[in-house]
Amino acid sequence: IANHIEESNFEEKKFIEEKEKILYLLEQREIKIEEITINKKKNERFFVNIYMDILNQGIINNDIKKIEKILTDVLKEDIIINEKASKINGEKSLVSFISADKFKANIGIANGIKTKSSVSGDSILNIRLKDGKNLIAISDGMGSGPEARKSSQIAIKMLERLLSSGFNKETSIELINNAILNANEEIYATLDIAILDLYKGNIEFIKNGACPTYIKNKKRVQIL
């Protein structure tokens, strides 16, 4: 508890000057807010939360670009909108901003249907998580056709809901496995997940019964 209090106090003391500058510049542009929090761990992104009265929501929405510019100028890093106007306790609205990606990714998808099958048994997911990372996933349902697709869609939809709700990766995989194992009907599906951090320039792979991944870099091929 003492460590937690000490960490909280340390976080509150960080970026005091930056907060004052941001509040001053927002006030100059007649953008009214109730509170601002700034968080950044070493070598990680900035996470900026701006809390406002619901009555001012329309003003904030119209001034997103102005806020992005102020945050970028003060924090000396390209800051963009992350999530717009989430209601907090029915009284305040939250607008969150985040450091922009430093890298770009080209994502290509090719698919095919097994002979005599009406649909593919595989399902895919490509979403941006709240922490700014990109998640790409493929689920392969057992067999082929509609039944295989049903199994893979259950796994993919559960993964999206759990991660979007804030569950960590390990817990999400465990919950999906338990749900599939305890289902009344036969459901078998793999999960092959890649999480791209386009701010730091790295990638994390999570495999749940999935086949190998091949990473090609010029003439070098790495197998996971």
Side-chain angles (χ1 to χ4, degrees):
I1 292 171
N3 288 337
H4 179 69
I5 292 169
E6 191 174 335
E7 285 173 11
S8 299
N9 290 337
F10 178 72
E11 287 296 325
E12 286 178 11
K13 289 174 184 176
K14 285 169 66 178
F15 306 114
I16 290 175
E17 289 183 15
E18 287 83 354
K19 284 181 188 177
E20 288 175 353
K21 283 182 186 177
I22 292 165
L23 290 169
Y24 173 74
L25 292 168
L26 288 173
E27 192 175 345
Q28 273 194 329
R29 287 159 180 77
E30 298 183 343
I31 301 173
K32 295 179 181 178
I33 69 167
E34 291 194 1
E35 187 184 348
I36 180 171
T37 63
I38 303 172
N39 292 298
K40 179 180 172 65
K41 293 180 181 178
K42 190 177 180 181
N43 300 324
E44 299 284 349
R45 299 175 190 258
F46 273 106
F47 291 91
V48 182
N49 289 330
I50 290 180
Y51 299 87
M52 61 181 182
D53 192 293
I54 288 176
L55 295 174
N56 290 325
Q57 184 171 322
I59 298 171
I60 293 292
N61 287 340
N62 293 331
D63 289 336
I64 291 294
K65 290 295 178 188
K66 292 180 184 177
I67 297 171
E68 284 178 337
K69 187 177 186 312
I70 289 170
L71 295 175
T72 297
D73 291 344
V74 174
L75 299 176
K76 295 179 174 54
E77 191 163 301
D78 193 11
I79 306 294
I80 59 171
I81 184 77
N82 189 35
E83 194 175 9
K84 226 188 278 187
S86 302
K87 289 184 181 178
I88 308 294
N89 299 327
E91 297 176 358
K92 296 180 184 178
S93 284
L94 164 65
V95 183
S96 63
F97 296 83
I98 194 171
S99 298
D101 292 338
K102 295 180 180 179
F103 297 87
K104 292 182 179 179
N106 291 325
I107 300 169
I109 299 167
N111 56 42
I113 299 172
K114 186 179 178 181
T115 307
K116 296 182 181 180
S117 289
S118 56
V119 294
S120 170
D122 300 343
S123 296
I124 59 172
L125 178 65
N126 180 12
I127 60 170
R128 186 177 175 89
L129 302 173
K130 288 183 180 179
D131 61 3
K133 295 176 184 176
N134 291 79
L135 180 139
I136 307 162
I138 303 172
S139 179
D140 182 2
M142 186 181 73
S144 61
E147 285 303 313
R149 185 170 182 80
K150 181 181 175 183
S151 296
S152 65
Q153 282 189 332
I154 288 171
I156 283 289
K157 285 178 181 177
M158 282 189 70
L159 179 69
E160 181 176 12
R161 288 191 191 116
L162 289 165
L163 291 175
S164 299
S165 301
F167 285 88
N168 65 37
K169 301 178 288 291
E170 292 78 13
T171 303
S172 298
I173 296 296
E174 190 177 340
L175 288 170
I176 292 167
N177 279 336
N178 288 336
I180 288 174
L181 287 171
N182 293 324
N184 292 327
E185 51 190 321
E186 286 190 351
I187 301 172
Y188 300 101
T190 67
L191 273 173
D192 204 346
I193 303 165
I195 299 174
L196 290 82
D197 187 336
L198 296 177
Y199 179 81
K200 295 171 74 174
N202 61 29
I203 186 168
E204 177 183 2
F205 292 95
I206 301 169
K207 290 188 168 290
N208 200 37
C211 59
T213 292
Y214 297 85
I215 302 172
K216 185 175 183 296
N217 184 4
K218 296 180 181 176
K219 291 185 178 181
R220 181 170 174 263
V221 177
Q222 186 178 356
I223 302 174
L224 298 178

